[in-house]
Amino acid sequence: AKLGARVTDPPCGHGEAENHRCGGTIRGITARLDYIQEMGFDCVWITPVVKQFEGETSSGTASMGYWAYDLYKIDESFGTPEDLKELIGKLHARNMCIVYDFVANHMGPIHNEDMVKKMVPFNETRYFNQLFRGNMSFNDYVAKASDWPPPAQAMWSQSGAQCTQGMDCSCYKCQEKEEEEEEDLGS
């Protein structure tokens, strides 16, 4: 692979269905530390590499690292605990640091109570945001397809961080700012 190229194991496919879990690995970062350091970086910030939701939902896929399902395991698509320890050791040997991204405000996706039961360690519905739930069952609440915020998932699908299936990926908008600018232009 050329210097700076994405290193994946196994290699990524080219069809949309093959690319749901396509991306770099911990070993790929380790293999590129010379390149990273030569660019002048003294720290590496990695996506959350905890065990992710597997599969596809109406909210999309979990290839980005932000849909944790087991906070105590490393997702195999990113590597192994040994890979992470090796990366950290090699960074420290170079006087470099690591920022390990960790999402503390949500896990997911959550589309029913059975999905929650599979999460580790937060495997009960009481651990999740249920704003405006009222007297709905948990399953009815999380089936809600409109309104903001998305049920039980803090910020996600329409936040711009990840696009819901079937939506344009430029879904992040500062609505109030855009409306103010339109008013300014019109007056």
Side-chain angles (χ1 to χ4, degrees):
K2 68 180 183 179
L3 197 55
R6 182 183 299 175
V7 176
T8 60
D9 182 19
C12 293
H14 296 290
E16 184 179 326
E18 297 168 308
N19 284 331
H20 284 295
R21 300 294 283 204
C22 185
T25 63
I26 298 167
R27 288 191 326 206
I29 298 168
T30 304
R32 296 294 185 255
L33 288 180
D34 286 339
Y35 176 70
I36 293 167
Q37 193 170 36
E38 287 169 7
M39 288 192 301
F41 293 103
D42 61 2
C43 199
V44 173
W45 186 338
I46 65 172
T47 193
V49 295
V50 296
K51 180 70 179 160
Q52 299 291 297
F53 169 79
E54 293 182 12
E56 191 168 316
T57 73
S58 58
S59 298
T61 62
S63 62
M64 77 309 267
Y66 294 92
W67 273 357
Y69 250 56
D70 188 336
L71 297 179
Y72 300 134
K73 292 182 180 175
I74 301 287
D75 195 292
E76 300 83 25
S77 66
F78 295 117
T80 67
E82 292 74 27
D83 294 338
L84 184 58
K85 289 175 190 174
E86 179 185 16
L87 172 61
I88 292 167
K90 289 191 175 190
L91 283 165
H92 290 171
R94 295 167 177 264
N95 270 342
M96 295 175 75
C97 72
I98 184 166
V99 175
Y100 180 91
D101 200 343
F102 177 81
V103 179
N105 72 333
H106 68 274
M107 291 177 69
I110 301 172
H111 293 285
N112 58 56
E113 191 169 356
D114 288 337
M115 292 177 94
V116 173
K117 291 175 183 177
K118 296 175 187 173
M119 295 179 173
V120 177
F122 303 109
N123 60 356
E124 297 177 34
T125 60
R126 67 186 173 104
Y127 294 121
F128 295 93
N129 169 34
Q130 297 178 41
L131 185 65
F132 306 125
R133 177 176 166 189
N135 62 358
M136 288 184 268
S137 72
F138 186 81
N139 285 345
D140 287 342
Y141 176 71
V142 295
K144 180 172 92 167
S146 63
D147 297 327
W148 186 256
Q153 294 185 52
M155 51 149 261
W156 235 163
S157 298
Q158 281 75 37
S159 70
Q162 186 232 5
C163 291
T164 303
Q165 284 182 323
M167 289 187 70
D168 181 346
C169 281
S170 61
C171 50
Y172 180 75
K173 292 187 171 77
C174 295
Q175 192 67 34
E176 290 177 20
K177 182 82 171 151
E178 287 175 6
E179 289 172 3
E180 288 173 14
E181 289 173 357
E182 286 175 14
E183 288 174 11
D184 289 344
L185 291 173
S187 48

